[in-house]
Each structure stands twice: as C-alpha cells, then as structure tokens.
Amino acid sequence: MAKITGVSKHSARLKSMREVAQRVTASLYAAGQDIEIDAEHSITQGSISGRGHIPSLPGQPPSADTHTLDRMIETTIEAQNPPTVHVTSNAPYSAALEYGTSRMAERPFMRPATEKNRKKVGRDVAQAVRVTIRRG
C-alpha cells in the first residue's frame, strides 16, 4: 500500500489558492462596480430628460433621455476560476452608441469608464493577492 504524506500541507496550499481567488474576485467585482458607476454617471451628468432633452455631441457620452441606458448597465461575476467579472450595458442600442453606426458618430460611455479605472483595477487585484499571500 502506498503511503501519502504531506496532505495537510497541500490542503493548506489549496485553501490559500481558493482564498486568493475569492479575494481577487471580490476585488474585480468592486472594480466592475466602479466602472459601472462611472459609465452611468457620464450618461446622467448634465443631461436633460424628457421634453428639453439635448442629444450629446459626437465623441461625448450619450445624454440620458429615458434613462434606459444608464439603468441597464450591470456588473456580474461570470466565473470563479479564473476570476472573471463582466460590466455590460444591456440596452438594445448600447453598441450603436458606444461604437457609432454608418449614420451616427460614436458616443462612448463604457470604454472611457473602463480606461479611467484600468490602473486602479491592477493595483487592487495585486493588493488582494498580496494580502492573501501574507496571511497564508
């Protein structure tokens, strides 16, 4: 019969890896929430809804009119291993506004919010990993 040694050491390592994944996922989710908030804010900032609505200029974030666009942005955890978080805009016209069409110039709102938070995401994820490793 084979003798297996070091099981507790490997169990501890697996537990530590799970903790890293959980902390990284939490960090990514928080970063996704920051991106979501920035995108929503860019749409609602200075906009006029309803009768006096003024459309945004090309290259600027879209202005809110019905608030469908800003209310349909959401952050979701898609996978735990590897940790994956998605920030999506589910309004039917999101892509047309973000990237433009043959008849309308782009009015990006997701890409600027993502770019604004890019460095912070990297720092926060790295910090989550460091904290978990130090504890282990």
Side-chain angles (χ1 to χ4, degrees):
M1 180 186 300
K3 183 177 180 184
I4 300 173
T5 61
V7 172
S8 61
K9 184 177 181 181
H10 293 298
S11 293
R13 176 183 262 166
L14 287 173
K15 182 180 177 190
S16 176
M17 290 169 59
R18 279 193 296 272
E19 288 176 9
V20 169
Q22 289 171 347
R23 286 186 183 271
V24 169
T25 301
S27 178
L28 285 172
Y29 186 78
Q33 291 280 284
D34 289 342
I35 293 168
E36 178 182 337
I37 289 166
D38 285 342
E40 291 166 349
H41 182 68
S42 73
I43 295 165
T44 59
Q45 185 178 16
S47 64
I48 300 171
S49 297
R51 191 164 166 80
H53 176 72
I54 300 170
S56 62
L57 297 174
Q60 294 180 343
S63 295
D65 186 12
T66 62
H67 291 281
T68 300
L69 183 63
D70 55 286
R71 290 182 182 147
M72 293 192 79
I73 299 172
E74 65 179 0
T75 304
T76 55
I77 298 172
E78 296 297 318
Q80 295 289 337
N81 193 13
T84 307
V85 172
H86 289 177
V87 182
T88 54
S89 178
N90 297 309
Y93 46 86
S94 296
L97 287 168
E98 183 72 23
Y99 299 106
T101 67
S102 62
R103 305 179 86 195
M104 178 185 72
E106 65 182 28
R107 284 158 171 80
F109 57 100
M110 294 295 283
R111 289 177 292 163
T114 301
E115 195 55 41
K116 177 181 176 185
N117 288 280
R118 186 173 305 280
K119 288 181 181 176
K120 183 179 182 300
V121 171
R123 284 192 311 265
D124 291 352
V125 169
Q127 179 65 16
V129 171
R130 278 192 299 275
V131 165
T132 307
I133 289 172
R134 283 185 198 137
R135 294 179 81 206

